[in-house]
Every structure is written in C-alpha cells, then in structure tokens.
Amino acid sequence: MTGLRWGILATGGIAASFASDLRTAGLDLVAVGSRSQESADAFASRFDIPHAHPSYEALASDPDVDIVYVSTPHPMHHENARLLLEHGKHVIAEKAFTLNRAEAEDLQRLAAEKGLLVTEAMWTRYLPHMIRIREIIAEGTLGEIRAVTADHTQLLPSDPAHRLNALELGGGALLDLGIYPISFVHDILGAPTSIRAVGRLIETGADAEVATVMTHEGGAISTTLSSSRAAGPNTASIVGTAARIDIDHVWYAPTSFRVVLPDGTVHEEYASDIEGRGMQFEALAAERLVAEGNIAGDLLPISETVAIMGTLDEIRSQIGVRYPHEESDRG
C-alpha cells in the first residue's frame, strides 16, 4: 500500500460506515471535515481522528491529507470533489458520482490535468463475491451471456421533506438505489446500446419507482427495478447459454451466490466471509491505483463512471425528472 493519509468530507451515516471500515483495514484516517466544529469534533472523537476541521475548505487545505472520501448529498459531489482536486487531493466520491454526465466529465478533465485519482465509491464493484463472479465469467463458465437482471428496492421514508424525496437534493430512487443495478449491468454487459425506462413520480417530482429494459452489444438484454416505496427481494441473476449465476439477498453487499447449470445442478457455491461492512475494499483499491500511478482506474474506470452518469441522464429524460440545479445551469 501507499500509506495514503485519508480524510472524510461530511459526517453522516455513510461516512461513519466508511470510517469504521478504514479502521478495519488498518488504513491511515487522519482528518475529517464538517460544516461545523461540533460535528467534526464528535466524529473525530468517535473514530480517533487527529484532525477535525470546521469546514470543507479547511479539510481540502490540510497538508497532512492525501485522499478524501466525499459523502455529501448528490448535488454537492461536484463542488466538493472540485475543491479537493484543486487542492491536490485524490478523491473517492459517493455514488451516484455526480448529478449528471456533464459534472462527471468536468471532474474527469480536472483530475487528468492535475494527475490525480478521482473515482466513484461504488463499493459493490470491489467486493470479493463480485471479484469471483468476474473470474467465473472470464473462465467461460456461463457461455454467452444473454440477460442480466437486478433490483434495488427498499421501503424508505415517504416524508416529502426527506432528502430521498427532495429534488433539490437529488432525491429519488434512481440516484440513491438505481445506481446499483445500472452500474452492475454496465459492469457485466457494458454500456447499453438502447434504453427504455418507465417510472412513477411522487408529489415532489422525484421518482419513487424506475424500471429499465436495455440492450447491449451482441443483443444481450438487461432489466432493472428500483423503488424507494417498497421492499423487494434485492437479488440479481446473470443468465448465460451454459449456466447462470444467482446472487442472493442483498446482492450488492457481501453475500452468497450459486452457479447453476441448465439442468439445475449447482456447479459452484460462494459465501462471503469478511470483516466490517465491506467498504474497505474500494479504499484498498484506491490506494493500489495511486501506488500504480493508474489514475484512470480499472475495476471502475472514471470513463465508465462518466458513461453510467450518461445512462442515468437518459433514464431521467425518459421518466421526466430534472433537478433544479440543472435548470439554473441551463439559464
């Protein structure tokens, strides 16, 4: 490892999970930045972090920090990541990476100019069961992949004022939940060649349910379902001509899967056995990429993150969701 010194920007629940997993992995967490000294101090005390900053600017200016995890709401990712890159910090930003493709492209350009790593914190990509799934596919065990299906469906707060339902905060099922299955089908099948999407919008204009049917190179088909108002199975399948992979609940977190042959025979079973929540694997990957000087990325290249944001843009266009921030940019 490079011995990178980590900072965390914002102090919400996902930041706490990430901090805990950094400690699990023995990585060097040295600073946290919040919008208030009180919040920064409380977070620093909880995770034994030596530097607690009362602003994001102070964190970005900390000379003892090499890489920062951004865990603010979606509309802030672009501004926060830009601030950090301009101060020479590597960045790993929560998913969805930005609000839209244009913002993602801007961060891609800036990071390349600065020679810095900027990457999306799609932790699922780096989990051991997903690594094994890619190995099985590469070995040809599934034959030709014809279909991928995945859902991310949860019963989340319905309060219109809640972040998840507020358009001004990037609320809706797509950016919070749909990003997982959309990223998954990109990973397995590549970018879609056609996209069809339907959705149901709530009173705030945010999407509560989104379903997609997409085609990919070679004619393979993917289907995804996301919902913030109902809890489904949260499973996924990769279906090939020689076998399929059934990934159990919750497919995007450390879990189990089976490789099943056409006659129903179980060819292989896998069960995850890890410490912590599993977010340490994306942090370890970021350290490796910096050590290798590979700022473009590999398991989730920044170019693919940009493409995924483009897919989300098209889905939103089809279901009629536009964020206020985008309206002001259009002028």
Side-chain angles (χ1 to χ4, degrees), residues 95-331:
K95 69 220 130 14
F97 184 63
T98 50
L99 272 186
N100 52 44
R101 178 170 182 146
E103 290 184 348
E105 288 175 332
D106 180 62
L107 295 180
Q108 180 186 27
R109 284 192 299 268
L110 180 59
E113 290 170 5
K114 298 282 188 179
L116 296 167
L117 176 72
V118 62
T119 186
E120 183 180 20
M122 175 47 75
W123 65 305
T124 303
R125 286 282 177 114
Y126 305 94
L127 293 173
H129 75 286
M130 288 296 178
I131 300 297
R132 178 58 191 147
I133 284 170
R134 289 192 205 93
E135 291 172 347
I136 290 168
I137 292 171
E139 291 162 3
T141 304
L142 303 189
E144 184 182 1
I145 297 175
R146 301 309 311 152
V148 172
T149 183
D151 81 299
H152 190 175
T153 47
Q154 296 189 39
L155 182 59
L156 299 177
S158 59
D159 179 359
H162 193 282
R163 176 189 71 80
L164 291 165
N165 303 310
L167 271 185
E168 65 273 16
L169 294 177
L174 186 63
L175 291 197
D176 264 277
L177 307 178
I179 178 63
Y180 283 90
I182 297 300
S183 182
F184 178 59
V185 299
H186 267 257
D187 186 17
I188 304 302
L189 296 175
T193 54
S194 71
I195 301 170
R196 296 180 184 177
V198 294
R200 182 178 71 87
L201 308 187
I202 57 173
E203 63 272 21
T204 65
D207 50 290
E209 279 92 31
V210 182
T212 68
V213 177
M214 300 187 285
T215 58
H216 302 260
E217 187 176 351
I221 293 174
S222 68
T223 60
T224 75
L225 173 64
S226 304
S227 175
S228 60
R229 296 298 175 90
N234 290 303
T235 56
S237 292
I238 305 168
V239 181
T241 54
R244 73 175 190 270
I245 296 176
D246 292 333
I247 314 176
D248 295 324
H249 177 92
V250 174
W251 69 267
Y252 49 84
T255 189
S256 53
F257 70 78
R258 289 164 308 288
V259 180
V260 183
L261 302 180
D263 64 2
T265 301
V266 176
H267 176 73
E268 178 178 334
E269 293 186 83
Y270 182 98
S272 294
D273 181 17
I274 68 166
E275 289 186 77
R277 188 170 187 260
M279 299 178 77
Q280 66 268 32
F281 296 103
E282 64 185 358
L284 290 166
E287 292 224 351
R288 173 180 57 79
L289 291 169
V290 171
E292 294 170 351
N294 182 8
I295 62 170
D298 48 22
L299 292 184
L300 182 53
I302 185 60
S303 58
E304 186 174 351
T305 289
V306 168
I308 290 167
M309 292 312 305
T311 297
L312 296 179
D313 285 355
E314 176 58 25
I315 292 168
R316 288 196 296 113
S317 175
Q318 291 189 23
I319 66 175
V321 172
R322 189 172 180 89
Y323 304 118
H325 176 73
E326 295 174 311
E327 295 291 351
S328 62
D329 282 351
R330 189 169 62 177

